[in-house]
């Protein structure tokens, strides 16, 4: 962790180049389980998730509502509230330049307060909820900056103006209240606020859902540019796979609380290995390229209390076959990615069988 109390001046060009070229591990999630304890039996909202994120990388997490992606990131960032409880796993935030690696799940509240903003910042879907309606924008930026640095009030307001300028908002908007800004401007302001303490990781939970398509593209372009310039990593959560192709380096697809496919973004989009990924791809129009028919996904995601036996996607899967409603397919390595689907295990089993009998 960076030490609290260090002034957050603009990052030097040398630091930026070094940061943007660094591809060492930043976050390693292993065996993460999150349960909801609101009734007699716990509901498994996230079941045994592993994720890896490198410095400067954007990891997209995609899936329909209720598949566990927001529960996963609130657990990773320790922002979850009861009845959600992380029951197992580790979330290692890797140290750098002599700082120690830490398991985020084991930090004290005090240590967490240092980690937030300075190392990990979060952008939520609703900018209106993230911004304080009774404080001017400038005061909110100055509060965060002064809590995590030794900037004077005046320096903090100046820095806040620079941060707003980075997302294309004029500095005179520092005197505005959240309700005086357009939806797109509010969302860009929350992104600028997340970058205030130059975090290593920015977690974005459906940051473009509440804005129109034009603003959506503008925000994605800005995030990509800022990421290139400042070298931070991103976890970007969305239900729209076609959006991720614009911004993500790697993608993890979630269904019923589990990761069912991972892979390099373009490869996963053009050649999905899991039928659910394929169905997700057909459910949204591409932002670029030729138009194609939107097919949708039959049925709806299962309730987590009543998960189907075997592969949880089997009641909706056009390619289900004999083992799918009995045995849960494990997530197996497949080229540069992974997939949890019996189709590949059958292929692999046949290949093994041929290899043994040759
Ligand atoms: Fe479809 Fe079977 Fe693969 Fe599940 S395991 S996605 S039901 S083919």
């Amino acid at each position: 962790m960076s030490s609290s109390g260090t002034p957050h001046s603009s990052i030097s060009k040398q630091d930026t180049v070094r940061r943007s070229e660094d591809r060492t591990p930043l976050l390693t999630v292993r065996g993460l389980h999150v349960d909801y304890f609101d009734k007699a039996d716990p509901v498994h909202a996230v079941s045994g998730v592993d994720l890896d994120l490198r410095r400067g990388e954007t990891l997209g997490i995609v899936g329909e509502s209720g598949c566990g992606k927001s529960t996963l990131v609130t657990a990773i960032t320790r922002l979850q509230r009861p009845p959600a409880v992380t029951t197992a796993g580790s979330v290692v935030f890797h140290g750098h330049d002599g700082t120690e690696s830490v398991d985020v799940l084991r930090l004290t509240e005090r240590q967490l307060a240092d980690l937030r903003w300075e190392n990990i910042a979060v952008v939520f879907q609703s900018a209106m909820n993230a911004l304080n309606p009774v404080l001017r924008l400038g005061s909110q930026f100055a509060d965060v900056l002064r809590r995590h640095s030794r900037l004077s009030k005046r320096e903090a307001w100046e820095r806040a103006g620079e941060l707003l300028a980075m997302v294309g908002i004029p500095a005179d908007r520092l005197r505005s209240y959240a309700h005086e800004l357009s939806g797109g401007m509010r969302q860009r302001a929350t992104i600028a606020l997340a970058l205030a303490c130059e975090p290593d990781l920015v977690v974005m939970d459906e940051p473009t859902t509440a804005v129109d398509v034009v603003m959506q593209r503008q925000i994605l372009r800005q995030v990509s540019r800022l990421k290139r310039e400042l070298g931070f990593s991103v976890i970007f959560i969305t239900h729209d796979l076609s959006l991720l192709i614009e911004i993500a380096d790697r993608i993890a697809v979630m269904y019923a609380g589990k990761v069912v496919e991972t892979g390099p973004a373009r490869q996963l989009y053009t050649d999905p290995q899991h039928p659910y990924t394929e169905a997700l791809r057909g459910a949204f129009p591409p932002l670029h390229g030729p138009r194609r028919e939107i097919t949708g996904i039959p049925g709806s995601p299962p309730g987590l209390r009543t998960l189907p036996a075997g592969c949880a996607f089997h009641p909706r899967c056009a390619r289900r076959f004999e083992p799918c409603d009995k045995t849960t397919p494990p997530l197996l390595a497949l080229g540069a990615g992974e997939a949890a689907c019996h189709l590949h295990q059958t292929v692999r089993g046949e290949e093994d069988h041929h290899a043994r009998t040759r």
Side-chain angles (χ1 to χ4, degrees), residues 58 241 244-251 263-271:
T58 297
L241 184 57
L244 283 185
I245 208 66
E246 304 291 313
I247 192 167
D249 299 303
R250 290 182 65 80
I251 295 175
R266 192 146 294 278
Q267 180 187 309
L268 183 139
Y269 190 80
T270 54
D271 187 20

Side-chain angles (χ1 to χ4, degrees), residues 3-277:
S3 58
S4 189
T6 306
H8 284 281
S9 56
S10 303
I11 305 178
S12 73
K13 193 162 182 192
Q14 206 179 7
D15 283 346
T16 304
V17 170
R18 206 182 49 189
R19 243 174 114 168
S20 60
E21 287 173 353
D22 186 353
R23 287 290 179 269
T24 54
L26 178 66
L27 197 76
T28 305
V29 178
R30 288 291 175 267
L32 195 70
H33 287 259
V34 181
D35 291 349
Y36 283 97
F37 285 91
D38 56 343
K39 295 215 173 112
D41 297 321
V43 174
H44 307 306
V46 170
S47 300
V49 165
D50 297 341
L51 291 175
D52 293 283
L53 178 68
R54 293 182 175 277
R55 289 178 188 274
E57 190 179 49
T58 297
L59 172 69
I61 300 180
V62 66
E64 293 162 286
S65 296
C67 68
K69 51 195 194 305
S70 290
T71 304
L72 172 68
V73 294
T74 50
I76 289 174
T77 51
R78 293 268 307 267
L79 287 169
Q80 70 190 8
R81 295 281 170 266
V85 176
T86 301
T87 52
S90 61
V91 177
V92 174
F93 187 86
H94 292 276
H96 197 51
D97 287 343
T99 55
E100 280 180 21
S101 297
V102 292
D103 184 347
V104 176
L105 302 185
R106 281 162 184 67
L107 294 180
T108 63
E109 285 302 320
R110 175 81 201 259
Q111 291 169 319
L112 258 186
D114 285 348
L115 187 87
R116 290 201 185 116
W117 296 102
E118 295 184 26
N119 299 94
I120 302 178
V122 184
V123 176
F124 293 104
Q125 179 178 342
S126 169
M128 208 57 197
N129 290 345
L131 296 172
N132 189 326
V134 297
L135 283 181
R136 294 183 198 278
L137 266 193
S139 300
Q140 299 184 55
F141 276 76
D143 278 356
V144 171
L145 284 162
R146 297 194 69 202
R147 204 179 319 137
H148 293 271
S149 75
R150 294 197 192 98
L151 296 182
S152 67
K153 193 171 172 189
R154 187 179 157 177
E155 288 168 333
W157 273 73
E158 278 173 14
R159 179 71 185 130
E162 290 172 17
L163 287 162
L164 277 191
M166 283 193 327
V167 295
I169 300 177
D172 60 11
R173 285 299 194 161
L174 285 174
R175 304 207 68 78
S176 301
Y177 294 95
H179 70 268
E180 295 172 327
L181 306 177
S182 67
M185 227 185 230
R186 274 198 296 269
Q187 196 56 284
R188 284 182 288 145
T190 60
I191 291 169
L193 185 58
L195 299 178
C197 301
E198 300 161 11
D200 304 280
L201 169 61
V202 182
V203 178
M204 300 188 170
D205 189 358
E206 305 255 12
T208 60
T209 304
V211 296
D212 63 42
V213 180
V214 176
M215 184 50 64
Q216 201 175 52
R217 283 188 184 191
Q218 199 179 331
I219 289 175
L220 289 180
R221 273 203 299 270
Q222 271 176 348
V223 170
S224 296
R225 177 180 54 78
L226 290 167
K227 198 190 81 131
R228 260 195 323 276
E229 289 174 6
L230 303 176
F232 55 85
S233 306
V234 177
I235 294 180
F236 193 102
I237 296 159
T238 179
H239 56 275
D240 182 350
L241 184 57
S242 63
L243 254 189
L244 283 185
I245 208 66
E246 304 291 313
I247 192 167
D249 299 303
R250 290 182 65 80
I251 295 175
V253 181
M254 286 193 74
Y255 190 75
K258 291 184 175 172
V259 171
V260 296
E261 181 167 3
T262 68
R266 192 146 294 278
Q267 180 187 309
L268 183 139
Y269 190 80
T270 54
D271 187 20
Q273 298 298 310
H274 195 286
Y276 179 57
T277 311

Side-chain angles (χ1 to χ4, degrees), residues 273-276 310-321 323-325 327-329 340-345:
Q273 298 298 310
H274 195 286
Y276 179 57
C311 170
F313 187 57
H314 86 257
R316 307 170 75 191
C317 182
R319 299 172 72 186
R320 66 179 173 267
F321 60 116
C324 298
D325 62 352
T327 316
T328 306
C341 175
H342 288 305
L343 288 168
H344 302 294
Q345 280 159 342

